[in-house]
Amino acid sequence: MKLVRNTLAAAIAFAAIATTTPASAAELEVTHWWTSGGEAAAVKELADAFNAGGDTWKDGAIAGSAGVARPVIVSRIIGGDPMGATQLNHGRQAEELVEEGLMLDLTELAEKEGWKDIVRPASLLESCTLDGRIYCVPINIHSFQWMWISLNAYKKAGIDAPKDWNEFVASAPKLREAGITPLAVGAQTWQTNGMFGVIRLGLGGMDLFLKTDVERDSEALRSDTMAAIWEAFGEARKLDDDNNSIQNWNDATSQVINASHGAQIMGDWAQGEFQVAGQTAGVEYDCLPGLGIAPALDTGGDAFYFPKQDDPEKTAAQLRMASMMISKSVQVAFNLKKGSLPVRGDVDLSAANDCMKKGLEILKSPENIVPGGTQLFSPDTSGQLEDLLSEFWTNPDMKPEDAHDTWATIIEEAE
Amino acid sequence: MKEPVSNSEVAVKSALKGRRRPKLLRNLAAKIAAVPMILVALVGFVGCSVWSIFYSFTSSKSLPKERFVGFAQYERLFDSSRWQTSVENVAIYGVCSLVFSLTIGFLLAVALDQKIRFENTFRTIFLYPFALSFIVTGLVWQWLLNAEFGIAQVIRDIGFSGFEMNILSNREYAIYAIVIAGLWQGTGLVMALMLAGLRGIDQDIWKASRVDGIPAWRTYLFIVIPMMKPVFITTLVIIASGIVKVFDLVVALTAGGPGGSSELPAKYVYDYMFGRANLGQALAASTVMLITVLIILIPWAYLEFSQKRNAKHG
């Protein structure tokens, strides 16, 4: 009996030691949809930084766009199989998950590190905030309002590269003559919708954009200016390739990189692809923020959320990861690879390329900042807009005025 | 209806002092064994269906909430051009895959039934695609139908240099790409079922029809096919359930594109439930799907089972 009791005591003591020892390492699974070349390079920076702290970054990349990955991520969290951390576009996508208490509250950490003072623009942190509590770490600033031009394609066609959208449209016939398709567009629905947003902002200007997207003003939505923009967008359908069978945005970007297509309207994440391909801004490619007409950028971006865990060790590791992601060195390393801008203004970005510097310059004046799509509309509304825009883009029989009417109705009825 | 009473049962009955056991307790072991299945059916199928219908009348977003909005979700559903396209597409897909997989499957089975050589090899080849998932099928056909590298390029290489085929990026034909891929995948199974049915036909019938000098095609059409009715019904149920739930094929092959022209109802439900965080809308769509299936199924089941009962009584 004595022996048994002793072994028992020893076992208990051992177990106690094992659990109370401050084990400072945990494995966290991180889900994200960064799978293109430039994106993967950027993720590696995050993983390396996290592993360097003694923890383990278990990569859970989900191939496909956000539209494919988000359902997987959300259903895992709702279904009770939460990952350690996950990328989401902040804004309204995670609103309900936060309301249901499924996400870790980061407020204490944020106050300790003073996120409020370092994150700019402030809207990024506001999108992570619900009822005064902070639930996500903004990691970068992305803006959609960029047009990427292949200078090689224009050299091949023997004409000067355009300085804005109107010049680009005018140059399209010359590109066609040289066997170059003017515009590269991937078939995923969000791309068409995003492109339309950029063209709308470029041709209609900031005031109209704020009236239509933020105030949802019926008069502006159905104005003559909007009708003209729809007309122009209808014309732009001819710039695309009829046989276009490309799905992914980065495949479209590589069409611009290898100069088979003239230009692409895509967010600044495309820049990572040009870098991976070894191209330099101003030499092989050029960038026109706001289509070269209206220099305005939105400040959407990616953020990491940390679904609640039962294991306190994992929770501690989640906080370590959150702190790592917003730290100065990681912000610089990650964003240089990703082609995005860091969320804190107090870092040294001398290594940034010309396009990033253009972007930083624009963001300096607050009146140039456009609220991003994911912060304005629920996924439901964005989804309806995507359906409409992609149908319009691929169906030449769909009249601009009909699409305009449907579009205005969707926004008027949005929650 | 009186059941035949065996000697042992008489003995049991007399032991129970002539009282018949209550109906519920008869075959007790079998009934207990069926309880789990009954529970699964009730909770899993009926319960979940009721739950879905209930929440289709709410404005639930990511999570179910009891905020009732009447028929608003249904109004939006029927106004949505994407849903209309989805319904048209599932009709096209359904009719084509039903007609073609039955015809081609049956013809292949007849061909294999001619006591040909290497029957096993052919059967394996035809049945092989069925071993692939719809996702793989979709990816394979995405490449085969690719306008630049696929079958089109092969034909160009043969010598028809002007040949062009891009049904995947054509709004009108994209759905037929899904039909083709679906047929490639599913016809082998239909063939195998039909072949089994053909092998079940008594050889004497063939001998008799030969003696009477009836040509083979007439024997197939008027004698063999009517005899194979049970096989056809089984096949029909398998194909029909495949049509309603087809989802992964379209996701892998066209992603609903170009521009939403090859969307299907199941994908609509999935997109709204998960991607677009609109549970109410998704459940309204799935309820409409359920009702459509029931509208087809109930008269059929009624006919089928009432016939059997009549046959028994007669």
Side-chain angles (χ1 to χ4, degrees), chain A residues 67-68 70-72 74-75 78 93 96-97 99-100 102 187 189 241-245 247 255 378-384 386-387 390-392 394-397 415, chain B residues 59-63 65 67 76 81-82 85 142 146-148 164 166 168-169 171-172 253-255 257-261 263 268 270-272 274-278 281:
Chain A
V68 178
R70 205 184 314 125
V72 178
V74 171
S75 61
I78 293 178
Q93 292 173 355
E96 249 188 298
L97 297 175
E99 278 170 11
E100 288 300 314
L102 294 166
T189 53
D241 197 344
D242 284 341
N243 297 346
N244 178 22
S245 56
Q247 289 281 345
Q255 290 179 324
S378 66
D380 185 16
T381 308
S382 320
Q384 282 175 284
E386 284 169 14
D387 284 348
S390 66
E391 186 181 350
F392 180 72
T394 54
N395 186 357
D397 299 334
E415 285 178 21
Chain B
S59 62
S60 299
K61 294 296 171 194
S62 299
L63 300 159
K65 297 237 169 76
R67 284 182 300 234
R76 185 178 146 187
S81 77
R82 177 171 164 185
T85 322
Q142 200 177 46
N146 185 304
E148 282 165 55
E164 280 204 24
N166 41 57
L168 279 183
S169 47
R171 292 186 60 84
E172 270 167 49
L253 190 54
T254 64
S261 56
E263 292 286 353
Y268 187 93
Y270 175 83
D271 279 353
Y272 273 94
F274 299 106
R276 298 182 178 178
N278 191 340
Q281 180 67 16

Coordinates of all heavy atoms in Angstrom, one line a residue, chain A residues 67-68 70-72 74-75 78 93 96-97 99-100 102 187 189 241-245 247 255 378-384 386-387 390-392 394-397 415, chain B residues 59-63 65 67 76 81-82 85 142 146-148 164 166 168-169 171-172 253-255 257-261 263 268 270-272 274-278 281:
Chain A
G67 N -13.3 34.6 -51.1 CA -14.6 34.1 -51.2 C -14.6 32.5 -50.9 O -15.6 32.0 -50.5
V68 N -13.5 31.9 -51.2 CA -13.4 30.4 -51.0 C -13.0 30.2 -49.5 O -13.5 29.3 -48.9 CB -12.4 29.8 -51.9 CG1 -12.3 28.3 -51.6 CG2 -12.8 30.0 -53.4
R70 N -13.0 32.3 -46.8 CA -13.8 32.8 -45.7 C -14.8 31.8 -45.2 O -14.9 31.6 -43.9 CB -14.4 34.2 -46.0 CG -14.6 35.0 -44.8 CD -15.3 36.3 -45.2 NE -14.7 37.0 -46.3 CZ -15.4 37.3 -47.4 NH1 -16.7 37.1 -47.5 NH2 -14.8 37.9 -48.4
P71 N -15.6 31.2 -46.1 CA -16.6 30.2 -45.6 C -15.9 29.1 -44.7 O -16.5 28.7 -43.7 CB -17.2 29.7 -46.8 CG -16.9 30.6 -47.9 CD -15.7 31.4 -47.5
V72 N -14.8 28.7 -45.2 CA -14.1 27.6 -44.5 C -13.7 28.1 -43.1 O -14.0 27.4 -42.1 CB -12.8 27.2 -45.2 CG1 -12.1 26.1 -44.4 CG2 -13.2 26.7 -46.6
V74 N -14.9 30.7 -41.3 CA -16.1 31.0 -40.5 C -16.8 29.8 -40.0 O -17.1 29.6 -38.8 CB -17.1 32.0 -41.2 CG1 -18.4 32.1 -40.4 CG2 -16.4 33.3 -41.5
S75 N -16.9 28.8 -40.9 CA -17.6 27.6 -40.4 C -16.8 26.8 -39.4 O -17.4 26.2 -38.6 CB -18.0 26.7 -41.6 OG -16.9 26.3 -42.3
I78 N -17.5 28.8 -36.1 CA -18.8 28.5 -35.6 C -19.0 27.1 -35.2 O -19.7 26.8 -34.2 CB -19.9 28.9 -36.7 CG1 -19.8 30.4 -36.9 CG2 -21.3 28.5 -36.3 CD1 -20.8 30.9 -38.0
Q93 N -17.1 41.7 -41.8 CA -17.1 40.3 -42.0 C -17.2 39.5 -40.7 O -17.8 38.5 -40.6 CB -15.9 39.8 -42.7 CG -15.9 40.3 -44.2 CD -14.6 40.0 -44.9 OE1 -13.7 39.5 -44.3 NE2 -14.6 40.3 -46.2
E96 N -20.4 39.6 -36.5 CA -21.3 38.7 -35.8 C -20.5 37.7 -34.9 O -20.9 37.4 -33.8 CB -22.2 38.0 -36.7 CG -23.6 38.4 -36.6 CD -24.5 37.5 -37.4 OE1 -24.4 37.5 -38.7 OE2 -25.4 36.9 -36.8
L97 N -19.4 37.2 -35.4 CA -18.6 36.3 -34.6 C -18.1 37.0 -33.3 O -18.1 36.3 -32.3 CB -17.3 35.8 -35.5 CG -17.7 35.1 -36.7 CD1 -16.4 34.8 -37.5 CD2 -18.4 33.8 -36.4
E99 N -19.7 39.5 -31.9 CA -20.9 39.7 -31.0 C -21.2 38.4 -30.3 O -21.7 38.4 -29.1 CB -22.1 40.1 -31.9 CG -22.1 41.5 -32.2 CD -23.2 41.9 -33.2 OE1 -24.0 41.0 -33.5 OE2 -23.1 43.0 -33.8
E100 N -20.9 37.3 -30.9 CA -21.3 36.0 -30.2 C -20.2 35.6 -29.2 O -20.2 34.5 -28.6 CB -21.4 34.9 -31.3 CG -22.7 35.0 -32.1 CD -23.9 34.9 -31.2 OE1 -24.0 34.1 -30.4 OE2 -24.8 35.8 -31.5
L102 N -17.0 34.8 -29.8 CA -16.1 33.8 -30.3 C -14.7 34.2 -30.5 O -13.8 33.4 -30.8 CB -16.7 33.2 -31.6 CG -18.0 32.5 -31.5 CD1 -18.7 32.3 -32.9 CD2 -17.9 31.1 -30.8
A187 N -11.6 36.1 -63.8 CA -13.0 35.9 -63.8 C -13.7 35.9 -62.4 O -14.9 35.9 -62.3 CB -13.3 34.6 -64.5
T189 N -15.5 36.9 -59.3 CA -16.5 38.0 -59.3 C -16.0 39.2 -58.5 O -16.4 40.3 -58.9 CB -17.8 37.5 -58.7 OG1 -17.6 36.9 -57.4 CG2 -18.5 36.5 -59.6
D241 N -10.5 40.3 -73.0 CA -10.3 39.2 -73.9 C -11.6 38.4 -74.0 O -12.2 38.0 -72.9 CB -9.2 38.4 -73.4 CG -8.6 37.4 -74.4 OD1 -9.3 37.2 -75.4 OD2 -7.5 36.9 -74.2
D242 N -12.1 38.1 -75.2 CA -13.4 37.3 -75.2 C -13.1 35.8 -74.7 O -14.0 35.2 -74.2 CB -13.9 37.2 -76.7 CG -14.5 38.5 -77.1 OD1 -14.9 39.2 -76.2 OD2 -14.7 38.7 -78.3
N243 N -11.9 35.3 -75.0 CA -11.6 34.0 -74.6 C -11.1 33.9 -73.2 O -10.5 32.9 -72.9 CB -10.6 33.4 -75.6 CG -11.2 33.3 -77.0 OD1 -12.4 33.4 -77.2 ND2 -10.3 33.1 -77.9
N244 N -11.2 34.9 -72.5 CA -10.6 35.0 -71.2 C -11.0 33.8 -70.3 O -12.2 33.6 -70.0 CB -11.0 36.3 -70.5 CG -10.4 36.3 -69.1 OD1 -9.4 35.7 -68.8 ND2 -11.0 37.2 -68.3
S245 N -10.1 32.9 -70.0 CA -10.5 31.8 -69.1 C -9.7 31.8 -67.8 O -9.5 30.8 -67.1 CB -10.2 30.5 -69.8 OG -8.9 30.4 -70.2
Q247 N -8.9 32.8 -64.0 CA -9.7 33.0 -62.8 C -9.0 33.9 -61.8 O -9.6 34.9 -61.4 CB -10.0 31.6 -62.1 CG -10.9 30.7 -62.8 CD -12.4 31.1 -62.6 OE1 -12.7 31.9 -61.7 NE2 -13.3 30.6 -63.4
Q255 N -0.2 38.1 -66.8 CA -0.4 38.5 -68.2 C 0.2 39.9 -68.4 O 0.7 40.2 -69.5 CB -1.9 38.5 -68.5 CG -2.4 37.1 -68.6 CD -3.9 37.1 -68.9 OE1 -4.6 38.0 -68.5 NE2 -4.4 36.1 -69.6
S378 N -22.0 44.9 -46.0 CA -21.9 43.5 -45.4 C -21.6 42.5 -46.6 O -21.8 42.9 -47.7 CB -23.3 43.2 -44.9 OG -24.2 43.1 -45.9
P379 N -21.1 41.4 -46.2 CA -20.7 40.4 -47.3 C -21.9 40.1 -48.2 O -21.8 39.8 -49.3 CB -20.3 39.1 -46.5 CG -20.2 39.5 -45.1 CD -20.8 40.9 -44.9
D380 N -23.1 40.1 -47.6 CA -24.3 39.9 -48.3 C -24.5 40.9 -49.5 O -24.7 40.5 -50.7 CB -25.5 40.0 -47.4 CG -26.8 39.6 -48.0 OD1 -26.8 39.0 -49.1 OD2 -27.9 39.9 -47.4
T381 N -24.4 42.2 -49.1 CA -24.5 43.2 -50.2 C -23.4 43.1 -51.2 O -23.6 43.2 -52.4 CB -24.5 44.6 -49.5 OG1 -25.5 44.6 -48.5 CG2 -24.9 45.7 -50.5
S382 N -22.1 43.0 -50.7 CA -21.0 42.9 -51.6 C -21.2 41.7 -52.6 O -20.9 41.8 -53.8 CB -19.7 42.7 -50.9 OG -19.6 43.4 -49.7
G383 N -21.8 40.6 -52.0 CA -22.0 39.5 -52.9 C -23.0 39.8 -54.0 O -22.8 39.4 -55.1
Q384 N -24.1 40.5 -53.7 CA -25.1 40.8 -54.7 C -24.4 41.7 -55.7 O -24.7 41.6 -56.9 CB -26.2 41.5 -54.0 CG -27.2 40.6 -53.3 CD -28.2 41.4 -52.6 OE1 -28.0 42.0 -51.6 NE2 -29.4 41.4 -53.2
E386 N -21.3 41.8 -56.5 CA -20.4 41.0 -57.3 C -21.1 40.2 -58.4 O -20.7 40.2 -59.5 CB -19.6 40.1 -56.4 CG -18.5 40.7 -55.6 CD -17.9 39.9 -54.6 OE1 -18.2 38.6 -54.6 OE2 -17.2 40.4 -53.7
D387 N -22.2 39.6 -58.0 CA -23.0 38.9 -59.0 C -23.4 39.8 -60.2 O -23.3 39.4 -61.3 CB -24.3 38.4 -58.3 CG -24.1 37.2 -57.4 OD1 -22.9 36.6 -57.5 OD2 -25.0 36.8 -56.7
S390 N -20.3 41.0 -62.3 CA -19.6 40.0 -63.1 C -20.5 39.5 -64.3 O -20.1 39.2 -65.4 CB -19.2 38.8 -62.3 OG -20.3 38.1 -61.8
E391 N -21.8 39.6 -64.0 CA -22.7 39.2 -65.1 C -22.7 40.3 -66.2 O -22.6 40.0 -67.4 CB -24.2 39.1 -64.6 CG -25.1 38.6 -65.6 CD -26.6 38.5 -65.1 OE1 -26.8 38.6 -63.9 OE2 -27.5 38.3 -66.0
F392 N -22.7 41.6 -65.7 CA -22.6 42.7 -66.7 C -21.3 42.6 -67.5 O -21.4 42.8 -68.7 CB -22.7 44.0 -65.9 CG -22.6 45.2 -66.7 CD1 -23.7 45.6 -67.5 CD2 -21.5 46.0 -66.8 CE1 -23.6 46.7 -68.3 CE2 -21.4 47.1 -67.6 CZ -22.5 47.5 -68.4
T394 N -19.5 40.1 -68.4 CA -19.3 39.0 -69.3 C -20.5 38.9 -70.3 O -20.4 38.2 -71.3 CB -19.3 37.6 -68.6 OG1 -20.4 37.5 -67.8 CG2 -18.0 37.5 -67.8
N395 N -21.5 39.7 -70.1 CA -22.7 39.6 -70.9 C -22.9 40.9 -71.7 O -23.4 41.9 -71.2 CB -23.9 39.3 -70.1 CG -25.2 39.1 -71.0 OD1 -25.1 39.1 -72.2 ND2 -26.3 38.8 -70.3
P396 N -22.4 40.9 -73.0 CA -22.5 42.2 -73.8 C -23.9 42.6 -74.0 O -24.1 43.7 -74.4 CB -21.7 41.8 -75.1 CG -21.3 40.4 -74.9 CD -21.8 39.8 -73.7
D397 N -24.9 41.7 -73.9 CA -26.2 42.0 -74.2 C -26.9 42.8 -73.0 O -28.0 43.3 -73.2 CB -27.1 40.8 -74.4 CG -26.6 40.0 -75.7 OD1 -26.0 40.7 -76.5 OD2 -26.7 38.8 -75.7
E415 N -28.4 46.9 -45.9 CA -28.6 47.1 -44.5 C -27.5 48.1 -43.9 O -26.4 47.9 -44.3 CB -28.6 45.8 -43.7 CG -29.9 45.1 -43.9 CD -29.9 43.8 -43.2 OE1 -29.1 43.6 -42.2 OE2 -30.7 42.9 -43.5
Chain B
S59 N -34.6 36.8 -40.5 CA -33.5 37.6 -41.2 C -32.2 37.2 -40.6 O -31.3 38.0 -40.4 CB -33.7 39.1 -41.0 OG -33.7 39.4 -39.6
S60 N -32.0 35.9 -40.3 CA -30.7 35.4 -39.7 C -29.5 35.7 -40.6 O -29.6 35.6 -41.8 CB -30.8 33.9 -39.5 OG -31.8 33.6 -38.7
K61 N -28.4 36.2 -40.0 CA -27.2 36.4 -40.8 C -26.3 35.2 -40.7 O -26.6 34.2 -41.1 CB -26.6 37.7 -40.3 CG -27.4 38.9 -40.6 CD -27.6 39.1 -42.1 CE -28.6 40.2 -42.4 NZ -29.0 40.2 -43.8
S62 N -25.1 35.4 -40.0 CA -24.2 34.2 -39.9 C -24.9 33.1 -38.9 O -24.6 31.9 -39.1 CB -22.9 34.6 -39.2 OG -22.3 35.5 -40.0
L63 N -25.6 33.6 -37.9 CA -26.1 32.7 -36.9 C -27.6 32.7 -36.9 O -28.2 33.8 -37.1 CB -25.5 33.0 -35.6 CG -24.0 32.9 -35.5 CD1 -23.4 33.8 -34.4 CD2 -23.5 31.5 -35.4
K65 N -31.1 33.4 -35.8 CA -31.8 34.3 -34.8 C -33.3 34.4 -35.1 O -33.6 34.4 -36.3 CB -31.2 35.8 -34.9 CG -29.7 35.8 -34.6 CD -29.5 36.8 -33.4 CE -28.0 36.7 -32.9 NZ -27.1 37.4 -33.8
R67 N -35.6 36.5 -35.7 CA -36.2 37.8 -36.1 C -37.0 37.5 -37.3 O -36.5 37.4 -38.4 CB -35.1 38.8 -36.4 CG -34.4 39.3 -35.2 CD -33.4 40.3 -35.6 NE -32.4 39.7 -36.5 CZ -31.1 39.7 -36.3 NH1 -30.6 40.4 -35.3 NH2 -30.3 39.1 -37.1
R76 N -37.2 38.0 -52.1 CA -35.9 38.4 -52.6 C -35.3 37.3 -53.5 O -34.7 37.5 -54.6 CB -34.9 38.7 -51.5 CG -33.6 39.2 -51.9 CD -32.7 39.5 -50.8 NE -31.3 39.2 -51.2 CZ -30.3 39.2 -50.4 NH1 -30.4 39.6 -49.2 NH2 -29.1 38.9 -50.9
S81 N -31.8 37.5 -60.0 CA -31.6 37.0 -61.4 C -30.7 35.8 -61.3 O -30.7 34.9 -62.1 CB -31.0 38.0 -62.3 OG -29.7 38.2 -62.0
R82 N -29.8 35.8 -60.2 CA -28.9 34.6 -60.1 C -29.7 33.4 -59.8 O -29.4 32.3 -60.3 CB -27.9 34.9 -58.9 CG -27.0 33.8 -58.7 CD -25.9 34.1 -57.8 NE -25.3 32.8 -57.3 CZ -24.4 32.7 -56.4 NH1 -23.9 33.8 -55.9 NH2 -23.9 31.6 -56.0
T85 N -31.3 32.1 -63.0 CA -30.3 31.4 -63.8 C -30.0 30.1 -63.2 O -29.9 29.1 -64.0 CB -29.0 32.2 -63.8 OG1 -29.3 33.6 -63.9 CG2 -28.2 31.8 -65.0
Q142 N -11.6 21.1 -66.8 CA -11.2 22.5 -67.0 C -10.0 22.6 -67.9 O -10.0 23.5 -68.8 CB -10.8 23.1 -65.6 CG -10.9 24.6 -65.6 CD -10.6 25.0 -64.2 OE1 -9.6 24.6 -63.5 NE2 -11.3 26.0 -63.7
N146 N -10.0 23.8 -71.9 CA -9.3 25.1 -72.0 C -9.1 25.5 -73.5 O -8.7 24.7 -74.3 CB -8.0 24.9 -71.3 CG -7.2 26.2 -71.3 OD1 -6.9 26.8 -72.3 ND2 -6.8 26.6 -70.1
A147 N -9.4 26.7 -73.8 CA -9.4 27.2 -75.2 C -8.0 27.2 -75.8 O -7.8 27.1 -77.0 CB -10.0 28.6 -75.3
E148 N -7.0 27.3 -74.9 CA -5.6 27.4 -75.4 C -4.8 26.1 -75.4 O -4.0 25.9 -76.3 CB -4.8 28.5 -74.6 CG -5.2 29.9 -75.0 CD -4.7 30.8 -73.9 OE1 -3.4 30.8 -73.6 OE2 -5.5 31.6 -73.4
E164 N -11.6 26.8 -83.1 CA -11.7 27.4 -81.8 C -12.8 26.9 -81.0 O -13.9 26.6 -81.6 CB -11.9 29.0 -82.0 CG -10.7 29.7 -82.3 CD -10.7 31.2 -81.9 OE1 -11.6 31.5 -81.0 OE2 -10.0 31.9 -82.4
N166 N -14.3 27.5 -77.1 CA -14.1 27.9 -75.7 C -15.4 28.0 -75.0 O -16.0 29.0 -74.7 CB -13.3 29.2 -75.6 CG -13.8 30.2 -76.6 OD1 -15.0 30.5 -76.7 ND2 -12.9 30.7 -77.4
L168 N -16.0 27.1 -72.1 CA -16.0 27.5 -70.7 C -16.1 29.0 -70.5 O -16.6 29.5 -69.4 CB -14.6 27.0 -70.1 CG -14.6 25.6 -69.7 CD1 -13.2 25.3 -69.0 CD2 -15.7 25.2 -68.7
S169 N -15.7 29.8 -71.5 CA -15.8 31.2 -71.3 C -17.0 31.8 -72.1 O -17.0 33.0 -72.3 CB -14.5 31.9 -71.7 OG -14.0 31.4 -72.9
R171 N -21.0 32.4 -72.1 CA -22.1 32.4 -71.2 C -23.1 31.3 -71.5 O -23.8 30.8 -70.6 CB -22.8 33.8 -71.2 CG -21.9 34.9 -70.6 CD -22.8 36.1 -70.6 NE -23.9 35.9 -69.7 CZ -23.9 36.1 -68.4 NH1 -22.8 36.4 -67.8 NH2 -25.0 35.9 -67.7
E172 N -23.4 31.1 -72.8 CA -24.5 30.2 -73.2 C -24.1 28.7 -73.0 O -24.9 27.9 -72.7 CB -24.9 30.4 -74.6 CG -26.0 31.5 -74.6 CD -26.3 32.0 -76.0 OE1 -26.4 31.1 -76.9 OE2 -26.3 33.2 -76.2
L253 N -15.2 23.4 -61.9 CA -15.1 23.5 -63.3 C -15.2 25.0 -63.7 O -14.4 25.5 -64.5 CB -16.2 22.7 -64.0 CG -16.1 22.6 -65.5 CD1 -14.7 22.1 -65.9 CD2 -17.1 21.6 -66.0
T254 N -16.3 25.7 -63.3 CA -16.5 27.1 -63.8 C -16.6 28.1 -62.7 O -16.6 29.3 -62.9 CB -17.8 27.1 -64.6 OG1 -18.9 26.9 -63.7 CG2 -17.8 26.2 -65.8
A255 N -16.7 27.6 -61.4 CA -17.0 28.5 -60.3 C -18.2 29.4 -60.6 O -18.3 30.5 -60.1 CB -15.8 29.4 -60.0
G257 N -19.1 30.7 -63.2 CA -18.8 31.7 -64.3 C -19.1 31.2 -65.7 O -19.5 30.0 -65.8
P258 N -18.9 31.9 -66.7 CA -18.5 33.3 -66.6 C -19.7 34.2 -66.2 O -20.8 34.1 -66.7 CB -18.0 33.7 -68.0 CG -18.7 32.6 -68.9 CD -18.9 31.4 -68.0
G259 N -19.4 35.1 -65.3 CA -20.4 36.1 -64.9 C -21.7 35.4 -64.3 O -22.8 35.9 -64.6
G260 N -21.6 34.3 -63.6 CA -22.7 33.7 -63.0 C -23.6 33.0 -63.9 O -24.8 32.7 -63.6
S261 N -23.1 32.7 -65.1 CA -24.0 32.0 -66.1 C -24.1 30.5 -65.9 O -24.9 29.9 -66.5 CB -23.5 32.3 -67.5 OG -22.2 31.9 -67.7
E263 N -24.4 29.1 -62.7 CA -24.7 28.9 -61.3 C -25.7 27.8 -61.1 O -26.5 27.6 -62.0 CB -25.2 30.2 -60.7 CG -24.2 31.4 -60.6 CD -23.2 31.2 -59.5 OE1 -23.4 30.2 -58.7 OE2 -22.3 32.0 -59.4
Y268 N -25.8 28.4 -54.8 CA -26.5 29.6 -54.2 C -26.7 29.4 -52.7 O -26.3 30.3 -52.0 CB -27.9 29.7 -54.9 CG -28.6 31.0 -54.6 CD1 -28.5 32.1 -55.4 CD2 -29.4 31.1 -53.5 CE1 -29.2 33.3 -55.1 CE2 -30.1 32.2 -53.2 CZ -30.0 33.3 -54.0 OH -30.6 34.5 -53.7
Y270 N -25.0 27.5 -50.7 CA -23.7 27.5 -50.0 C -23.1 28.9 -49.9 O -22.7 29.3 -48.9 CB -22.7 26.6 -50.8 CG -21.3 26.6 -50.3 CD1 -21.0 25.8 -49.2 CD2 -20.4 27.4 -50.8 CE1 -19.7 25.8 -48.7 CE2 -19.1 27.5 -50.3 CZ -18.7 26.6 -49.2 OH -17.5 26.7 -48.7
D271 N -23.2 29.6 -51.0 CA -22.6 31.0 -51.0 C -23.3 31.9 -50.0 O -22.6 32.6 -49.3 CB -22.7 31.6 -52.4 CG -21.7 31.1 -53.4 OD1 -20.7 30.4 -52.9 OD2 -21.7 31.4 -54.6
Y272 N -24.6 31.8 -50.0 CA -25.3 32.7 -49.0 C -25.1 32.2 -47.6 O -25.0 33.0 -46.7 CB -26.8 32.8 -49.4 CG -26.9 33.9 -50.4 CD1 -27.0 33.7 -51.8 CD2 -27.0 35.3 -50.0 CE1 -27.1 34.7 -52.7 CE2 -27.1 36.3 -50.9 CZ -27.1 36.0 -52.2 OH -27.2 37.0 -53.1
F274 N -22.5 30.5 -46.2 CA -21.2 30.7 -45.6 C -20.5 32.0 -46.1 O -20.2 32.9 -45.3 CB -20.3 29.5 -45.9 CG -20.9 28.3 -45.3 CD1 -21.5 27.3 -46.1 CD2 -20.8 28.0 -44.0 CE1 -22.0 26.2 -45.6 CE2 -21.3 26.9 -43.4 CZ -21.9 25.9 -44.2
G275 N -20.4 32.1 -47.4 CA -19.6 33.3 -47.9 C -20.3 34.6 -47.6 O -19.6 35.6 -47.3
R276 N -21.6 34.6 -47.8 CA -22.3 35.9 -47.7 C -23.0 36.1 -46.4 O -23.7 37.1 -46.2 CB -23.2 36.1 -48.8 CG -22.4 36.1 -50.1 CD -23.2 36.3 -51.3 NE -22.3 36.2 -52.5 CZ -22.7 36.4 -53.7 NH1 -24.0 36.5 -54.0 NH2 -21.8 36.3 -54.7
A277 N -22.8 35.2 -45.5 CA -23.4 35.3 -44.1 C -24.8 35.7 -44.2 O -25.2 36.7 -43.5 CB -22.6 36.3 -43.3
N278 N -25.6 35.1 -45.0 CA -27.1 35.4 -45.0 C -27.8 34.0 -44.9 O -28.3 33.5 -45.9 CB -27.4 36.1 -46.2 CG -28.9 36.7 -46.1 OD1 -29.7 36.2 -45.3 ND2 -29.1 37.7 -46.9
Q281 N -31.5 33.8 -46.2 CA -31.7 33.7 -47.7 C -31.3 32.3 -48.2 O -32.0 31.7 -49.0 CB -30.8 34.7 -48.3 CG -30.8 34.8 -49.8 CD -32.1 35.2 -50.4 OE1 -32.9 35.8 -49.7 NE2 -32.3 34.9 -51.6

